[in-house]
Amino acid sequence: MKVIQLKTRSDFKGKDKGYEGTYSFHDESGALYLRCDIYGACLKAPTRYVSDSDGAQNFVMRAKGKFMNATYYLEDSAGERFATLTRKGMGFRWKVLDNNKQEVARIVDTAAKGEAFLSALFAALPDSYAVISNQELLATISDESLSEANRKKPGNALGRVLDRVFGQSGLTARIEPEAGDKVDTRILVAGITLLRVHDILGVNRQG
């Protein structure tokens, strides 16, 4: 799998209190890879990722801490932890830790400083993120749903911010050809989820 694309849907009918939407993740052919329901900014309940074919749980993301200093544990279908995603404050940087609490990768924004400031101010997402490990680029994550007009204007930071706030977000991760098996797609899926929930929706909700 070289591409993972997020699609979001909000259908509150028959859903429990706190439900915020269903996220589905698709591969480069458009086939469904995983899906999950989002509750309370992923803080108030575990986020369970399932395959649509049989509904079997693939992995689960569990929150520890509050929205500002967020930590999420990723566990496989057997309940074994395989990674941790953590972020301090409102900065656009997530660290990926192994089970020895050692950093193995980062998800960082690639926006200019001025645009990053506007993004934080308006609770929106920078144009793109990079997933890096030991100075090696493993994947990029970008919002490919921005309007064509704003995408063609590199200096129009405010326009892009407003586009993200009021438009439909469609984050897409593209794995670098040289990355090979170095990328765990489950971590990418969890990272995309957190970028959407924390940095696009961006409301400072406490669990």
Side-chain angles (χ1 to χ4, degrees), residues 4 8 12 14 17 38 48 50 52 61 63 66 90 100 109 113 117 121 128 135 137 151 159 175 188 191 197 205:
I4 301 175
T8 63
F12 294 93
K17 183 178 180 181
I38 303 297
R48 303 184 185 280
V50 301
D52 204 43
M61 180 169 66
K66 299 295 185 179
M90 293 296 290
N100 294 318
D109 75 273
K113 290 184 178 180
F117 169 77
L121 183 63
S128 62
Q135 305 302 314
L137 178 64
R151 189 180 291 114
I175 300 173
L188 265 186
V197 170
R205 293 163 289 186

Side-chain angles (χ1 to χ4, degrees), residues 4 33 82-83 138 175 180-189:
I4 301 175
Y33 171 46
F82 62 88
L138 301 181
I175 300 173
D181 297 331
K182 297 178 183 178
V183 177
D184 187 330
T185 53
R186 298 172 299 176
I187 296 176
L188 265 186
V189 164

Side-chain angles (χ1 to χ4, degrees), residues 166-181:
F166 296 108
Q168 175 76 16
S169 176
L171 292 178
T172 299
R174 298 187 180 276
I175 300 173
E176 292 295 303
E178 297 80 9
D181 297 331

Side-chain angles (χ1 to χ4, degrees), residues 105-180:
R106 290 187 181 190
I107 305 175
V108 299
D109 75 273
T110 59
K113 290 184 178 180
E115 293 186 29
F117 169 77
L118 282 175
S119 295
L121 183 63
F122 287 94
L125 178 70
D127 281 339
S128 62
Y129 283 83
V131 183
I132 58 175
S133 177
N134 296 321
Q135 305 302 314
E136 179 185 0
L137 178 64
L138 301 181
T140 59
I141 303 173
S142 60
D143 186 350
E144 298 185 357
S145 67
L146 296 178
S147 70
E148 193 67 22
N150 279 329
R151 189 180 291 114
K152 289 181 177 180
K153 297 178 180 178
N156 189 12
L158 180 57
R160 289 199 297 279
V161 167
L162 295 176
D163 212 1
R164 300 182 197 111
V165 172
F166 296 108
Q168 175 76 16
S169 176
L171 292 178
T172 299
R174 298 187 180 276
I175 300 173
E176 292 295 303
E178 297 80 9

